[in-house]
Amino acid sequence: EIVMTQSPATLSVSPGERATLSCRASQSVITNLAWYQQKPGQAPRLLISGASTRATGIPARFSGSGSGTEFTLTISSLQSEDFAVYYCQQYNNWPLSFGQGTKLEIK
Amino acid sequence: EVQLVESGGGLVQPGGSLRLSCAASGFTFSSYEMNWVRQAPGKGLEWVSYISSSGSDIRYADSVRGRFTISRDNAKNSLYLQINSLRVEDTAVYYCARDSSGWSNWFDPWGQGTLVTVSS
């Protein structure tokens, strides 16, 4: 089973600043990685698939990078609506697995 | 508009059973693989089960294998999860999620979820 580890657990950033979230896989997942955003009381929403491809309707300030075991989600200029919990998910191997999440909070 | 609507959650005693349903609309349901993902209160996401578009390929997380059964009815545009021998640790919001299908397995979109509470 591939274990996904996200860091940090909580990230405090001011609006307008850049946020960088990390996700590490216990073995290579190539670029078979997705990122999701979840706000309180809501279902997760797909942001990124294939490690770097934005989903339909996702603003350009969200970008994904990485391959193998190290991945990054960058939000270039934080808007108020971006404060949420972010999860990475690998789909290279069964069972599918998620990271434990990074909570992005307002500084 | 693509929509997934779960139902069937509720309060159940340990050892009990429930059948969750997910009604799909706005897309050709029979062409897509589907999944169940759960989230315990205040916790992260856990993939639970997958079913291929025809229902011929099914996969489970180790934590639920032997107790949960995924199925689908393409004529009714519906996905199901039969959950038996429930444990306290199965308490969670259960989401159905459309699979990207093909050789990839990301989830988009997700339903709003249905809460299963296992307690005596």
Side-chain angles (χ1 to χ4, degrees):
Chain A
E1 176 179 343
I2 296 178
V3 177
M4 307 301 291
T5 303
Q6 292 185 240
S7 60
T10 304
L11 182 62
S12 299
V13 183
S14 300
E17 294 188 341
R18 173 188 298 255
T20 302
L21 289 67
S22 296
C23 175
R24 174 176 293 178
S26 60
Q27 64 187 76
S28 177
V29 299
I30 316 177
T31 56
N32 295 315
L33 185 107
W35 288 95
Y36 302 87
Q37 177 193 67
Q38 187 178 33
K39 297 180 180 180
Q42 296 185 16
R45 176 175 72 145
L46 176 70
L47 298 175
I48 301 280
S49 63
S52 62
T53 302
R54 277 191 306 276
T56 302
I58 301 303
R61 65 180 181 272
F62 290 90
S63 63
S65 64
S67 65
T69 62
E70 300 285 342
F71 300 89
T72 300
L73 175 69
T74 301
I75 311 171
S76 59
S77 179
L78 280 163
Q79 307 297 303
S80 58
E81 61 267 29
D82 300 335
F83 293 95
V85 179
Y86 292 83
Y87 294 94
C88 61
Q89 177 234 333
Q90 69 81 19
Y91 50 90
N92 194 64
N93 288 74
W94 298 96
L96 308 178
S97 52
F98 291 89
Q100 81 280 15
T102 290
K103 182 180 180 181
L104 182 56
E105 63 177 27
I106 300 175
K107 185 175 183 180
Chain B
E1 178 192 5
V2 174
Q3 195 168 15
L4 299 169
V5 179
E6 301 93 335
S7 60
L11 175 63
V12 63
Q13 292 187 337
S17 299
L18 277 177
R19 189 195 196 202
L20 308 183
S21 299
C22 172
S25 61
F27 65 101
T28 305
F29 180 71
S30 59
S31 296
Y32 283 85
E33 301 154 27
M34 297 293 295
N35 295 268
W36 288 97
V37 179
R38 69 182 179 182
Q39 185 171 36
K43 303 298 183 181
L45 302 169
E46 179 187 16
W47 170 77
V48 171
S49 185
Y50 156 95
I51 187 168
S52 64
S53 57
S54 67
S56 61
D57 185 13
I58 286 174
R59 300 175 188 264
Y60 297 101
D62 286 346
S63 58
V64 307
R65 185 177 292 112
R67 300 187 299 122
F68 289 17
T69 302
I70 192 172
S71 62
R72 65 190 296 161
D73 186 335
N74 287 341
K76 294 183 177 179
N77 292 336
S78 293
L79 175 72
Y80 305 102
L81 187 68
Q82 178 69 42
I83 47 181
N84 298 329
S85 304
L86 277 159
R87 305 167 180 169
V88 171
E89 56 265 34
D90 294 320
T91 295
V93 174
Y94 286 73
Y95 296 100
C96 67
R98 189 178 71 173
D99 198 284
S100 55
S101 297
W103 292 104
S104 301
N105 302 98
W106 67 82
F107 310 126
D108 183 42
W110 301 55
Q112 87 289 349
T114 187
L115 176 62
V116 172
T117 302
V118 184
S119 174
S120 55

